[in-house]
Amino acid sequence: MKDTDGRERPMWRTRWTVPQGRYGDAPHPPVLLVFNRIGERNPNRTVPHLMELTRHLWQGERQRGGHHLYDRKIPIIAVGLNQLREHGPAGPVFARFGRSGVPGGATAGSTAAGGEADS
């Protein structure tokens, strides 16, 4: 895979760019967490707990007019490995922390792009 400088690199060593924020903010690219259900751990309890522990990293600040500013915040997206296997990476299996709706009800493109916030 070619990096932003045109050099061949393994995918995990590539740099990812993120567009300039609409309101002068400096957003970060999203982080994807893939959960594999092993043993006693239940992702239905683990993900909400992780959301609370990391809220300060991803929660935007409400602005006048109702939008949120995500200056220096990290978008976090979660998916279960079984859902990913069943529906594929283009399926509605991704849940972005801080977004309303059914967890696992968005596609990768819609979660990475942003959208309505409820943080």
Side-chain angles (χ1 to χ4, degrees), residues 74-85:
I74 302 169
I76 300 175
I77 301 168
V79 64
L81 188 57
N82 290 340
Q83 289 179 321
L84 194 56
R85 281 186 184 135

Side-chain angles (χ1 to χ4, degrees), residues 42-55 58 97:
N42 182 347
N44 295 330
R45 287 190 300 236
T46 302
V47 172
H49 184 64
L50 189 57
M51 286 175 69
E52 283 305 312
L53 291 173
T54 60
R55 184 174 297 278
W58 55 261
F97 287 13

